[in-house]
Amino acid sequence: MVTETMMPVNGIQVCLETFGERTDPPLLLLAGEASSMDWWDDEFCRRLAAGGRFVIRYDHRDTGRSTPFPAGAAYSGVDLMNDALGVLDALGVPAAHLVGLSLGGALAQRIAVEHPHRVLTLTLIGTSAGLGPDAVPVLAGVGAVAVRTPAATEVRLRTATDEVDWSDRRAAVAELIAEVKSRGGPFTPDEPQLRRLAERVFDRSADLGAARLNHREAGYGPPVRDRLAGIEAPTLILHGTLDQRFPAEHPRELARVIPGARLVWLEGVGHEVPPRAVWGQVLSEILDR
């Protein structure tokens, strides 16, 4: 059974859905930057639930049906972390398995460092070690996906110009599809599938342009890189071999600094939500823990 509901969280309204039985161990999915929960595929969530997890996914603030903000709103990465914790609080969940993608992985790291008692296990997908002021996205027009790494390496996958009208459904959907394809690999869903997803994302969003700008300006909060060695939760790192936003040195550093962390490569996967072709591997790794 899937339940979508609005809940008061951290002073705002957050939209969330749950899959599976409340008596099963809880698992919280944390989406990427300016991403609604739609990016976590329905069937992927159902399979996690079938594996004996009470699965929770939610819309970050400013995405989906959660509280929207005007462009230039002053909230931070710490607020985004507190939203995640607030979702658990609203559901009466003291601790959960955390599965975070990209920005969601950075938020999961922060939770593991600052609130270790809330974390059963940690799964980090397509992310980097303790993102902060030394590794922040470079805003080059709304939708830019360049990143400046600690080694001052800049990777530019695609730059969406300020000319994209995010209030125009056709233009916004086309841009979302182009961005996913530019970051993906041979297993990235085909255009009809991406179009259905992008349309769903647009239709559930109040203002995509404002959300994207606000999330980038929010950043990730104060850096936690130097505190990752204190993480005690069993940690799994899943990383695509074709991820250009965070090349191989990023997951390797995570595996080096987090005690006992295990790095598993996803062959043929880019910087994207794990595509269906690797679900068997991803689900097995997550559920076998």
Side-chain angles (χ1 to χ4, degrees):
M1 180 179 180
V2 181
T3 304
E4 178 179 316
T5 188
M6 301 294 296
M7 287 192 168
V9 169
N10 198 22
I12 61 172
Q13 290 289 314
V14 167
C15 183
L16 62 89
E17 287 184 340
T18 63
F19 298 74
E21 302 297 327
R22 281 182 172 267
T23 53
D24 285 334
L27 184 151
L28 180 67
L29 295 169
L30 298 98
E33 182 181 277
S35 295
S36 62
M37 62 183 170
D38 303 291
W39 295 97
W40 296 111
D41 189 276
D42 297 358
E43 181 60 25
F44 180 79
C45 295
R46 284 192 285 267
R47 292 192 188 184
L48 281 173
R53 298 290 186 272
F54 176 55
V55 179
I56 308 158
R57 67 178 181 181
Y58 71 100
D59 293 326
H60 288 302
R61 63 171 61 200
D62 241 348
T63 76
R65 294 197 175 101
S66 291
T67 297
F69 291 79
Y75 57 77
S76 72
V78 173
D79 292 316
L80 294 173
M81 177 197 72
N82 288 332
D83 291 346
L85 292 172
V87 166
L88 297 182
D89 292 339
L91 293 171
V93 174
H97 300 280
L98 302 186
V99 178
L101 171 75
S102 195
L103 165 70
L107 299 178
Q109 291 173 56
R110 180 172 297 282
I111 293 171
V113 166
E114 298 186 355
H115 305 274
H117 61 289
R118 306 301 299 269
V119 184
L120 299 176
T121 64
L122 196 59
T123 299
L124 307 174
I125 306 174
T127 192
S128 186
L131 289 173
D134 57 347
V136 296
V138 179
L139 185 62
V142 175
V145 290
V147 67
R148 185 169 58 249
T149 71
T153 300
E154 187 175 279
V155 177
R156 187 174 299 278
L157 304 179
R158 176 180 174 83
T159 300
T161 71
D162 292 317
E163 297 175 359
V164 175
D165 181 358
W166 291 101
S167 66
D168 181 280
R169 189 174 191 266
R170 179 178 296 181
V173 166
E175 185 60 32
L176 289 173
I177 292 171
E179 287 181 358
V180 173
K181 291 173 70 174
S182 75
R183 296 194 304 259
F187 304 130
T188 300
D190 59 25
E191 184 153 336
Q193 290 176 283
L194 289 178
R195 182 168 301 280
R196 288 192 294 271
L197 174 57
E199 289 173 344
R200 172 173 166 175
V201 168
F202 181 90
D203 292 342
R204 293 186 67 253
S205 302
D207 188 338
L208 281 175
R212 291 159 67 88
L213 177 62
N214 291 343
H215 270 231
R216 292 188 185 283
E217 291 190 344
Y220 302 97
V224 296
R225 179 187 302 274
D226 293 341
R227 302 165 64 189
L228 296 180
I231 291 179
E232 296 182 356
T235 299
L236 170 67
I237 301 161
L238 301 175
H239 208 89
T241 58
L242 301 182
D243 192 324
Q244 297 177 64
R245 184 171 188 180
F246 296 123
E249 59 266 25
H250 290 265
R252 287 177 179 145
E253 182 183 11
L254 275 172
R256 179 180 61 81
V257 299
I258 299 177
R262 189 162 67 91
L263 172 57
V264 175
W265 295 101
L266 304 178
E267 293 291 336
V269 174
H271 189 73
E272 57 188 323
V273 177
R276 188 177 292 266
V278 296
W279 279 6
Q281 179 186 14
V282 170
L283 290 166
S284 177
E285 290 289 350
I286 294 173
L287 294 173
D288 285 352
R289 304 174 72 224

